[in-house]
Amino acid sequence: MTDVGVVLGSLALRGPVLAASGTFGYGTEVPLLERRALGGMVSKGIFLRPRAGTAPPRIVETPSGMLNAIGLQGPGVEALIRDYAPAWAGWEFPVLVNLNGESVEEYGELAARLDGVPGVAGFEVNISCPNVDQGGMYFGNDPVAAARVTAAVRRRTRLPVWVKLTPMVTDIGVIARAVEAEGADALCAVNTFVGMSIDLRTRRPRLANRTGGLSGPAVRPLAVHLANQAAGAVRIPVVGIGGIATAEDALEFLVAGCAAVQVGTATFIDGGAIAAVHDGIAAYLEREGIASLEKLPRCLPRD
Ligand SMILES: Cc1cc2nc3c(=O)[nH]c(=O)nc-3n(C[C@H](O)[C@H](O)[C@H](O)COP(=O)(O)O)c2cc1C
């Protein structure tokens, strides 16, 4: 039997496929799913305080993708601890909380508040949201700011700290190295790409926020390239994200140097997408005579 387990720092996952932040909410639908294939889940992004998010319309379908501008709507950290974490504590896969702040200090406070809460297995630090005015992508665009946010979270927890990178940079390797140097356990590459869609009837942007984050198959080759560059720049594991809908899509990221992957938009179309990706990866390894995912040959830029 092919071994598809992966070890990311101190976190051992039973499989390489996680549910991506914002596309699985806080996991309330997880009990309805076939979950054997879920390696882990990343929660919807959370701030210290409740947030209303952006005005509707917030979602637009585009060729082979979607634009979203949710603006990190959420109930705030106290509600997350009260209403969702207790259920996560009983699940057989880890749940990482997607952390967001308007300042470096807020990220640190959020990590401190969640550290030790049963059900919280680790953090994915979001320095890459394109839909918030304060914070978000600003931190992910600047290696100094990215490093400061990482350090602020690292200081306040012993749990795994993953940092989610934005694709909206000239050289993702610079940000990746800055974050690694401050003690991140893994990188997630990538968040959505900034895009815009215009309604020719009204001659106005279709999203109330004007711009949104592009996800889905349209972004996959861009994301594979960025994940490959990030993996080539650091020694810590990279989790690949962007447009994965099939096992072949996920395998491209894994061969590009990723240790695991996240699936987001595809689950809106097919509730069985994560299971299909997981099973397809195992079948590919079996077919190719590769005994475990760790033994899969990779093609890093430095090779
Ligand atoms: C509706 C929606 C909400 C999202 N919310 C978050 C979020 O709260 N935090 C975050 O880091 N990424 C968020 N993302 C980005 C996804 O986690 C993922 O990085 C991106 O969609 C690319 O992967 P995909 O093409 O498989 O969806 C969101 C994406 C979508 C479509």
Side-chain angles (χ1 to χ4, degrees):
M1 190 60 187
T2 314
D3 178 10
V4 290
V6 289
V7 178
L8 296 170
S10 59
L11 211 53
L13 307 181
R14 62 183 174 178
V17 190
L18 296 98
S21 176
T23 60
F24 241 64
Y26 301 96
T28 35
E29 284 99 13
V30 164
L32 309 173
L33 292 174
E34 185 192 10
R35 57 205 238 189
R36 64 177 171 85
L38 214 44
M41 185 194 108
V42 185
S43 81
K44 170 72 188 158
I46 197 85
F47 275 86
L48 277 173
R49 283 168 285 280
R51 273 174 75 93
T54 55
R58 296 167 153 195
I59 294 219
V60 173
E61 200 167 332
T62 60
S64 299
M66 69 181 257
L67 281 172
N68 90 81
I70 310 297
L72 292 169
Q73 177 186 339
V77 72
E78 296 306 326
L80 179 144
I81 291 169
R82 185 188 64 230
D83 298 338
Y84 303 117
W88 302 344
W91 292 351
E92 69 285 11
F93 54 85
V95 177
L96 287 93
V97 177
N98 186 267
L99 301 185
N100 296 267
E102 292 187 357
S103 65
V104 171
E105 293 70 33
E106 266 189 43
Y107 280 96
E109 268 182 60
L110 202 47
R113 181 67 190 95
L114 287 163
D115 189 58
V117 170
V120 176
F123 301 114
E124 183 183 71
V125 184
N126 184 5
I127 54 167
S128 44
C129 181
N131 302 321
V132 290
D133 292 335
Q134 305 287 325
M137 215 168 69
Y138 159 75
F139 293 113
N141 268 319
D142 173 9
V144 176
R148 286 180 59 217
V149 172
T150 308
V153 173
R154 177 76 291 164
R155 267 199 301 276
R156 308 293 287 272
T157 182
R158 285 171 178 241
L159 290 173
V161 174
W162 299 3
V163 179
K164 186 162 178 185
L165 305 180
T166 173
M168 307 303 291
V169 289
T170 312
D171 183 353
I172 199 168
V174 172
I175 310 287
R177 279 191 293 270
V179 163
E180 179 186 43
E182 292 302 332
D185 296 291
L187 303 177
C188 301
V190 284
N191 209 318
T192 51
F193 296 70
V194 177
M196 190 175 187
S197 171
I198 291 180
D199 182 343
L200 291 179
R201 207 172 28 85
T202 60
R203 291 184 284 277
R204 299 285 309 152
R206 286 199 168 89
L207 291 170
N209 192 53
R210 298 184 65 88
T211 59
L214 184 65
S215 64
V219 307
R220 197 176 59 249
L222 302 165
V224 170
H225 173 234
L226 289 161
N228 183 238
Q229 282 188 309
V234 295
R235 298 275 156 208
I236 53 175
V238 173
V239 179
I241 319 169
I244 296 173
T246 67
E248 287 71 26
D249 302 340
L251 281 156
E252 283 197 38
F253 280 91
L254 296 169
V255 172
C258 295
V261 294
Q262 295 181 13
V263 174
T265 303
T267 56
F268 293 158
I269 297 158
D270 174 10
I274 286 179
V277 172
H278 173 276
D279 293 350
I281 292 170
Y284 173 85
L285 295 176
E286 188 99 39
R287 230 174 23 247
E288 296 289 316
I290 301 169
S292 71
L293 196 48
E294 300 224 311
K295 298 215 164 72
L296 177 71
R298 319 276 166 157
C299 69
L300 291 169
R302 56 179 176 256
D303 292 341

